[in-house]
Amino acid sequence: MGDQFWTHITVWTYLCLVCIIIVCGSEDNLFEDLGLEVYPDIRKINISQEEYTRMMRIYLDNLKNESKNTESIPDLLTFKSERKSWRRRRLYFPIKQAQSEVTVDSSELRLLAPAIPNTDLLNISIYQILNRRRKRFITEKTVYPSPIEPKWWDFDLTSATSSWMSGERNLGIEIDCLGCGQDFHPLEASINALVLPKNHQRSKRGIERTDCRSNDPKRKCCRHKLQVDFKKLKLGEMDSIIQPKTYEAGYCRGRCPLNYNYATNHSRIQSIVHRMNKTVPRVCCAPSKLTHLEILRVDPHDYTKLHVEKWDNMVVLECACS
Ligand SMILES: *[C@@H]1O[C@H](CO)[C@@H](O)[C@H](O)[C@H]1NC(C)=O
Ligand SMILES: *[C@@H]1O[C@H](CO)[C@@H](O)[C@H](O)[C@H]1NC(C)=O
Ligand SMILES: *[C@@H]1O[C@H](CO)[C@@H](O)[C@H](O)[C@H]1NC(C)=O
Ligand SMILES: *[C@@H]1O[C@H](CO)[C@@H](O)[C@H](O)[C@H]1NC(C)=O
Ligand SMILES: *[C@@H]1O[C@H](CO)[C@@H](O)[C@H](O)[C@H]1NC(C)=O
């Protein structure tokens, strides 16, 4: 089969899935639909801090290498938990207000949990400690412990890390876990933050020729913004994607009047034929130029390793009538 064929299949499968998921909350398997042979069993994932750091650096280097604007690529900062505070399920990390103003792009707590007998599933909640009495809910997640070996878990700690870096008092976090046992404490724990300078140039992509410029609802075919948040797709296997958490995918919509922005000569002909014979559909607004997305995800053949890969045709750059 030709490349073009797969281009179309991939893009349409992806775009349709996004629609289906938004509309119906369907349980399709995105990994299968994207043509990835193996999709991960998230219960088995066990990525060490060392592997995470090593592969995250490679991923960020790749992004920097590809980007015209390296200022828009975050840096990785790692803060190890201080042992003294490993009591009563509390952890403290030496994160202070940043020297210069920064934006926390995302931040993850990674911890090595001890073996926990008699269960293979636990619900964990994490709170930010505000003072003696008050704590703020941060996140909740189901994790899959091992009854015989330690295992790595990770949690999204972006909001807490952000607040500490912008000057809020840092009293650490509390891990709430029914079923972890009274004296539960992690064997290791680190916070990994991806940070950007505050006033970095936001746009990772320059303005393209077909980007929409007005809010006219009846406007002609153009590229609209569409921020995709993998987590909000509510597909379990998305937990195996470490980066990016969200990305600007874009979509195409708008009218295609006569002689407006044809993708190909064929589109031009089809548009003329349509005027004479309505059985032939009119041309419609669709992606005409796409680009890949760099992905850092769990290696589906080895649950202790991460893998940097390119997923083709994930981002719309330009739209045209075709
Ligand atoms: C997870 O990885 C750690 C090493 O980082 C290892 O000690 C542990 O045994 C592994 N756990 C499982 C369940 O494979
Ligand atoms: C950076 O990109 C160039 C081409 O743009 C490529 O030849 C080189 O191998 C890349 N380096 C890394 C570290 O990926
Ligand atoms: C964990 O939470 C889910 C819902 O989020 C619930 O269905 C499940 O029963 C809970 N499991 C345990 C062991 O508490
Ligand atoms: C077809 O399209 C190309 C570029 O879109 C254009 O340069 C060319 O003149 C068109 N016509 C023919 C007959 O190839
Ligand atoms: C219109 O197009 C359809 C589909 O190609 C074709 O079957 C039909 O004969 C055409 N009608 C006319 C009037 O050309």
Side-chain angles (χ1 to χ4, degrees), residues 12 22 31 48 57 82 104 115 122 136 164 187 230 268 275 315:
W12 283 110
I22 290 165
F31 277 61
S48 68
R57 294 239 161 89
E82 289 183 359
V104 178
L122 287 168
R136 178 192 292 149
W164 295 330
L187 307 171
F230 284 133
R268 189 180 298 275
R275 274 197 301 161
V315 182

Side-chain angles (χ1 to χ4, degrees), residues 88-107:
R88 291 164 57 212
R89 296 177 185 171
R90 290 187 171 197
L91 295 178
Y92 173 81
F93 302 86
I95 302 179
K96 294 196 198 78
Q97 181 162 18
Q99 300 273 298
S100 55
E101 282 200 275
V102 294
T103 310
V104 178
D105 192 62
S106 66
S107 168

Side-chain angles (χ1 to χ4, degrees), residues 117-279:
N118 307 324
T119 180
D120 53 6
L121 184 153
L122 287 168
N123 289 336
I124 302 233
S125 301
I126 296 192
Y127 295 87
Q128 179 178 356
I129 302 165
L130 298 179
N131 58 36
R132 259 164 188 270
R133 277 172 226 91
R134 289 177 52 235
K135 49 188 190 176
R136 178 192 292 149
F137 172 76
I138 300 291
T139 188
E140 186 180 38
K141 191 176 172 185
T142 301
V143 295
Y144 306 91
S146 158
I148 42 172
E149 284 174 287
K151 199 152 171 257
W152 290 93
W153 300 340
D154 61 72
F155 303 90
D156 181 358
L157 231 62
T158 308
S159 68
T161 307
S162 260
S163 80
W164 295 330
M165 285 202 176
S166 58
E168 192 168 354
R169 199 166 160 215
N170 179 353
L171 295 170
I173 56 165
E174 189 175 299
I175 299 173
D176 241 40
C177 170
L178 278 176
C180 280
Q182 267 311 308
D183 45 353
F184 168 84
H185 67 77
L187 307 171
E188 274 181 56
S190 302
I191 284 180
N192 298 277
L194 294 179
V195 299
L196 286 160
K198 187 95 183 178
N199 297 313
H200 69 279
Q201 274 191 299
R202 267 248 145 240
S203 65
K204 282 184 188 161
R205 48 187 298 283
I207 303 289
E208 300 276 343
R209 196 169 53 85
T210 64
D211 282 2
C212 300
R213 268 147 226 224
S214 73
N215 287 318
D216 176 9
K218 285 198 264 176
R219 67 189 153 194
K220 295 174 188 167
C221 177
C222 62
R223 182 196 187 279
H224 297 245
K225 292 202 172 105
L226 170 62
Q227 190 75 20
V228 171
D229 184 337
F230 284 133
K231 199 178 270 169
K232 288 194 183 136
L233 299 183
K234 293 221 187 314
L235 297 166
E237 68 265 34
M238 285 305 171
D239 277 352
S240 69
I241 296 180
I242 309 291
Q243 279 290 318
K245 300 292 184 206
T246 69
Y247 82 100
E248 173 52 47
Y251 68 91
C252 299
R253 183 154 83 189
R255 295 179 301 116
C256 278
L258 204 60
N259 285 328
Y260 181 74
N261 190 17
Y262 291 125
T264 60
N265 290 333
H266 172 270
S267 321
R268 189 180 298 275
I269 298 295
Q270 183 176 334
S271 164
I272 295 167
V273 174
H274 165 76
R275 274 197 301 161
M276 296 185 289
N277 182 347
K278 299 293 185 230
T279 326

Side-chain angles (χ1 to χ4, degrees), residues 1-3 5-6:
M1 306 263 184
D3 277 351
F5 174 77
W6 287 113

